[in-house]
């Protein structure tokens, strides 16, 4: 079991991503800042049809520009879901360097940042099935574009932001692999 709904090829990728945000990211409180923007409808979900990294980079460029220009009250953050490219986690991880270079090239470093989520996300030094990896496992490869100003405001409101990662690991260790899988089982 690598991620929610990974085996459900007929599932709409944006529906699966929204379910992951609701049940894991918000439901398990993996990101205490996510609920507010989700409830307010300020999360932009974008489905990429890219099949090559170059095409994804062009879409990322458009989305970075869109988010930078958008009113934060309308769009505070963007999830760029790309199910047809960078399925291999190491290729995805390598692409992040290119994405960061694009951010700097556009002069958006310090204004926006890119977080990464992937069905086979793996922190350095962990085993592939280590539960800690599930903090960043999503149903499909996803680039999360975030406003630095929003992060700053969220950190001010959450004074122990540095403790989030450790708390997430504890939450997932208590939940375990079976509990994680149960979050996404279809009621039947």
């Amino acid at each position: 079991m690598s991620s929610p709904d990974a085996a459900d090829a007929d599932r709409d990728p944006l529906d699966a991503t929204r379910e992951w945000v609701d049940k894991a990211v918000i439901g398990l409180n993996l990101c205490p800042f996510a609920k507010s923007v989700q409830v307010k409808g300020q999360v932009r979900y974008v489905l990429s049809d890219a099949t090559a990294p170059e095409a994804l980079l062009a879409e990322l460029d458009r989305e970075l520009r869109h988010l930078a220009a958008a009113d934060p009250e309308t769009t505070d953050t963007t999830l760029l879901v790309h199910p047809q490219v960078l399925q291999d986690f190491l290729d995805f991880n390598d692409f992040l360097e290119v994405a960061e270079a694009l951010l700097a090239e556009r002069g958006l470093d310090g204004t926006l940042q890119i977080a990464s989520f992937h069905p086979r996300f793996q922190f350095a030094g962990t085993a592939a099935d280590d539960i800690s990896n599930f903090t960043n496992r999503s149903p499909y490869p996803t680039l999360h574009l975030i406003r630095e100003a929003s992060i700053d405001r969220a950190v001010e409101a959450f004074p122990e932001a540095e403790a989030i990662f450790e708390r997430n690991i504890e939450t997932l260790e208590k939940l375990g692999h079976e509990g994680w899988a149960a979050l996404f089982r279809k009621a039947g």
Side-chain angles (χ1 to χ4, degrees), residues 7-183:
D8 191 352
D10 295 332
R11 182 97 193 267
D12 176 74
L14 293 185
D15 287 346
T17 300
R18 285 184 184 98
E19 179 184 40
W20 166 72
V21 167
D22 288 338
K23 290 183 175 180
V25 177
I26 294 171
L28 295 176
N29 201 29
L30 298 179
C31 178
F33 320 126
K35 184 175 182 177
S36 174
V37 292
Q38 179 80 336
V39 168
K40 293 177 187 173
Q42 296 170 324
V43 180
R44 177 177 164 93
Y45 291 87
V46 178
L47 180 61
S48 170
D49 61 0
T51 57
E54 300 77 19
L56 178 61
L57 189 64
E59 286 187 82
L60 174 60
D61 190 17
R62 282 191 297 275
E63 289 305 318
L64 287 170
R65 291 172 189 242
H66 179 274
L67 185 59
D71 178 352
E73 293 299 316
T74 304
T75 305
D76 190 69
T77 191
T78 300
L79 291 172
L80 178 57
V81 181
H82 47 97
Q84 300 178 71
V85 65
L86 301 175
Q87 293 296 318
D88 180 87
F89 178 66
L90 295 178
D91 292 340
F92 175 79
N93 209 38
D94 289 344
F95 180 83
L96 295 175
E97 289 181 34
V98 177
E100 291 295 334
L102 176 63
L103 194 66
E105 181 182 316
R106 293 293 176 245
L108 296 171
D109 216 5
T111 302
L112 301 177
Q113 69 175 246
I114 303 170
S116 57
F117 299 94
H118 193 279
R120 289 178 275 297
F121 189 96
Q122 185 173 349
F123 289 109
T126 65
D129 65 346
D130 190 303
I131 195 70
S132 67
N133 296 319
F134 286 68
T135 63
N136 287 57
R137 288 210 176 160
S138 57
Y140 298 94
T142 301
L143 298 171
H144 182 194
L145 315 183
I146 313 165
R147 295 175 188 274
E148 292 273 353
S150 296
I151 293 171
D152 292 343
R153 280 191 309 277
V155 168
E156 284 176 21
F158 195 89
E160 297 178 10
E162 67 280 352
I164 293 171
F165 180 74
E166 287 81 20
R167 192 196 70 237
N168 288 348
I169 301 304
E170 290 173 14
T171 296
L172 290 175
E173 285 175 347
K174 288 177 190 170
L175 187 67
H177 290 88
E178 182 56 35
W180 176 265
L183 284 175

